[in-house]
mmCIF file of all heavy atoms in Angstrom:
data_model
loop_
_atom_site.group_PDB
_atom_site.id
_atom_site.type_symbol
_atom_site.label_atom_id
_atom_site.label_comp_id
_atom_site.label_asym_id
_atom_site.label_seq_id
_atom_site.Cartn_x
_atom_site.Cartn_y
_atom_site.Cartn_z
ATOM 1 N N SER A 140 -1.100 -15.396 -2.634
ATOM 2 C CA SER A 140 -1.831 -16.579 -2.171
ATOM 3 C C SER A 140 -3.025 -16.184 -1.298
ATOM 4 O O SER A 140 -4.099 -16.797 -1.374
ATOM 5 C CB SER A 140 -0.893 -17.523 -1.409
ATOM 6 O OG SER A 140 -0.296 -16.855 -0.309
ATOM 7 N N GLN A 141 -2.840 -15.155 -0.449
ATOM 8 C CA GLN A 141 -3.955 -14.702 0.385
ATOM 9 C C GLN A 141 -5.082 -14.161 -0.482
ATOM 10 O O GLN A 141 -6.255 -14.494 -0.277
ATOM 11 C CB GLN A 141 -3.495 -13.615 1.360
ATOM 12 C CG GLN A 141 -4.642 -13.068 2.232
ATOM 13 C CD GLN A 141 -4.221 -11.900 3.103
ATOM 14 O OE1 GLN A 141 -3.051 -11.569 3.202
ATOM 15 N NE2 GLN A 141 -5.189 -11.250 3.732
ATOM 16 N N GLN A 142 -4.743 -13.342 -1.478
ATOM 17 C CA GLN A 142 -5.762 -12.756 -2.340
ATOM 18 C C GLN A 142 -6.510 -13.832 -3.118
ATOM 19 O O GLN A 142 -7.736 -13.749 -3.289
ATOM 20 C CB GLN A 142 -5.130 -11.753 -3.311
ATOM 21 C CG GLN A 142 -4.633 -10.477 -2.662
ATOM 22 C CD GLN A 142 -3.205 -10.568 -2.157
ATOM 23 O OE1 GLN A 142 -2.715 -11.655 -1.833
ATOM 24 N NE2 GLN A 142 -2.523 -9.446 -2.095
ATOM 25 N N VAL A 143 -5.792 -14.855 -3.594
ATOM 26 C CA VAL A 143 -6.433 -15.941 -4.340
ATOM 27 C C VAL A 143 -7.457 -16.655 -3.462
ATOM 28 O O VAL A 143 -8.589 -16.928 -3.884
ATOM 29 C CB VAL A 143 -5.374 -16.934 -4.869
ATOM 30 C CG1 VAL A 143 -6.041 -18.199 -5.408
ATOM 31 C CG2 VAL A 143 -4.543 -16.278 -5.966
ATOM 32 N N SER A 144 -7.085 -16.944 -2.221
ATOM 33 C CA SER A 144 -8.005 -17.610 -1.289
ATOM 34 C C SER A 144 -9.242 -16.752 -1.041
ATOM 35 O O SER A 144 -10.376 -17.259 -1.012
ATOM 36 C CB SER A 144 -7.301 -17.903 0.032
ATOM 37 O OG SER A 144 -6.224 -18.797 -0.155
ATOM 38 N N GLU A 145 -9.051 -15.461 -0.869
ATOM 39 C CA GLU A 145 -10.165 -14.548 -0.610
ATOM 40 C C GLU A 145 -11.068 -14.415 -1.828
ATOM 41 O O GLU A 145 -12.303 -14.378 -1.705
ATOM 42 C CB GLU A 145 -9.633 -13.182 -0.179
ATOM 43 C CG GLU A 145 -8.926 -13.209 1.169
ATOM 44 C CD GLU A 145 -8.079 -11.982 1.425
ATOM 45 O OE1 GLU A 145 -7.833 -11.203 0.475
ATOM 46 O OE2 GLU A 145 -7.635 -11.798 2.576
ATOM 47 N N LEU A 146 -10.469 -14.333 -3.020
ATOM 48 C CA LEU A 146 -11.261 -14.202 -4.249
ATOM 49 C C LEU A 146 -12.147 -15.423 -4.463
ATOM 50 O O LEU A 146 -13.299 -15.299 -4.904
ATOM 51 C CB LEU A 146 -10.338 -13.996 -5.451
ATOM 52 C CG LEU A 146 -9.621 -12.640 -5.523
ATOM 53 C CD1 LEU A 146 -8.601 -12.632 -6.652
ATOM 54 C CD2 LEU A 146 -10.616 -11.501 -5.705
ATOM 55 N N LYS A 147 -11.633 -16.597 -4.148
ATOM 56 C CA LYS A 147 -12.441 -17.817 -4.293
ATOM 57 C C LYS A 147 -13.665 -17.755 -3.381
ATOM 58 O O LYS A 147 -14.772 -18.131 -3.784
ATOM 59 C CB LYS A 147 -11.588 -19.055 -3.967
ATOM 60 C CG LYS A 147 -10.542 -19.371 -5.015
ATOM 61 C CD LYS A 147 -9.885 -20.726 -4.790
ATOM 62 C CE LYS A 147 -9.076 -20.775 -3.524
ATOM 63 N NZ LYS A 147 -8.368 -22.074 -3.360
ATOM 64 N N ILE A 148 -13.484 -17.267 -2.177
ATOM 65 C CA ILE A 148 -14.586 -17.185 -1.219
ATOM 66 C C ILE A 148 -15.646 -16.203 -1.698
ATOM 67 O O ILE A 148 -16.842 -16.522 -1.753
ATOM 68 C CB ILE A 148 -14.067 -16.776 0.172
ATOM 69 C CG1 ILE A 148 -13.196 -17.890 0.761
ATOM 70 C CG2 ILE A 148 -15.225 -16.446 1.108
ATOM 71 C CD1 ILE A 148 -12.466 -17.483 2.027
ATOM 72 N N ILE A 149 -15.230 -14.985 -2.049
ATOM 73 C CA ILE A 149 -16.226 -13.958 -2.367
ATOM 74 C C ILE A 149 -16.973 -14.271 -3.662
ATOM 75 O O ILE A 149 -18.196 -14.090 -3.732
ATOM 76 C CB ILE A 149 -15.604 -12.547 -2.429
ATOM 77 C CG1 ILE A 149 -14.593 -12.411 -3.575
ATOM 78 C CG2 ILE A 149 -14.989 -12.151 -1.115
ATOM 79 C CD1 ILE A 149 -14.153 -10.971 -3.810
ATOM 80 N N PHE A 150 -16.277 -14.778 -4.679
ATOM 81 C CA PHE A 150 -16.973 -15.020 -5.948
ATOM 82 C C PHE A 150 -17.846 -16.266 -5.893
ATOM 83 O O PHE A 150 -18.879 -16.331 -6.559
ATOM 84 C CB PHE A 150 -15.981 -15.046 -7.102
ATOM 85 C CG PHE A 150 -15.526 -13.667 -7.496
ATOM 86 C CD1 PHE A 150 -14.251 -13.226 -7.213
ATOM 87 C CD2 PHE A 150 -16.407 -12.795 -8.113
ATOM 88 C CE1 PHE A 150 -13.850 -11.944 -7.550
ATOM 89 C CE2 PHE A 150 -16.025 -11.506 -8.457
ATOM 90 C CZ PHE A 150 -14.742 -11.078 -8.171
ATOM 91 N N ASN A 151 -17.464 -17.231 -5.091
ATOM 92 C CA ASN A 151 -18.367 -18.365 -4.865
ATOM 93 C C ASN A 151 -19.649 -17.891 -4.189
ATOM 94 O O ASN A 151 -20.755 -18.294 -4.576
ATOM 95 C CB ASN A 151 -17.685 -19.433 -4.003
ATOM 96 C CG ASN A 151 -16.914 -20.448 -4.825
ATOM 97 O OD1 ASN A 151 -17.403 -20.911 -5.857
ATOM 98 N ND2 ASN A 151 -15.712 -20.798 -4.390
#
Side-chain angles (χ1 to χ4, degrees):
S140 58
Q141 178 186 351
Q142 290 88 334
V143 169
S144 297
E145 293 164 347
L146 290 172
K147 289 190 294 184
I148 293 171
I149 65 170
F150 283 108
N151 271 317

